[in-house]
Amino acid sequence: SITTFGDFVAATGGTVTTSGDFKIHTFTSSGTFTVTSAGGPAGSTTVDYLVVAGGGSGSPGGGSNPSFPASNGAGGGAGGHRFSFPNPATGGFPITVQAYPITVGGGGAGVGPNSGTNDGSNSVFSTITSTGGGGAGWPNDSPGNPGGSGGGGAGINTGPLPGGTGNSPSVSPPQGNPGGAGQSFFAGGGGGGAG
């Protein structure tokens, strides 16, 4: 989901609610944030934002080893999240009168046994992109995928497989965490939580 906040800024798009002097535009699907007045010196010419991407899918248990039907799957990584300062007078995203396309990324599709995993999709507000979460490692086969937060590494009987890197690509402040490593004897790692 993507939420934008503005004080003394007039805009349309998304589901609009208020909190004090703030109008909150929440997008749960792709759309357009249209600024009709960019504010002024007495108010603010910026908006605060929270941009959250879709999470990656977990890997199914079982995989290629039917003796461990539910123990070697791993968790998908959470979607990356990026946000601005809480006060538009001291931070935020500068806006002008124009339409800003909004893309809301979905979660990675679930998968069945003996198949790969799927990364989450990116969410975008203007130049701000949050990266989708990394898919989990496929059981007995691979490390977790990188993403906003990394997917967990698959469990394997010969040693651990690493979780995927988080905050990938790198932004500051970081948009997520790495996934957990899978362990020996088919114990899959958890996906990285976004912060």
Side-chain angles (χ1 to χ4, degrees):
S1 66
I2 295 176
T3 303
T4 60
F5 305 89
D7 188 12
F8 304 109
V9 172
T12 61
T15 300
V16 182
T17 56
T18 59
S19 177
D21 290 334
F22 289 87
K23 285 189 179 178
I24 304 166
H25 296 252
T26 301
F27 292 82
T28 55
S29 61
S30 298
T32 305
F33 177 65
T34 303
V35 178
T36 56
S37 173
S44 174
T45 57
T46 64
V47 293
D48 284 331
Y49 59 86
L50 170 65
V51 182
V52 181
S57 66
S59 55
S64 59
N65 190 329
S67 298
F68 297 89
S71 60
N72 54 352
H81 75 291
R82 299 186 65 193
F83 56 91
S84 64
F85 297 101
N87 185 341
T90 59
F93 184 80
I95 48 95
T96 60
V97 175
Q98 64 173 303
Y100 294 89
I102 301 283
T103 301
V104 175
V111 295
N114 295 311
S115 57
T117 61
N118 295 295
D119 297 338
S121 298
N122 296 348
S123 290
V124 182
F125 165 56
S126 188
T127 59
I128 309 300
T129 298
S130 290
T131 307
W138 179 50
N140 300 337
D141 195 39
S142 63
N145 292 344
S149 281
I156 190 167
N157 62 352
T158 57
L161 288 170
T165 57
N167 194 36
S168 179
S170 179
V171 293
S172 181
Q175 61 178 319
N177 298 314
Q183 301 301 313
S184 299
F185 306 107
F186 306 99

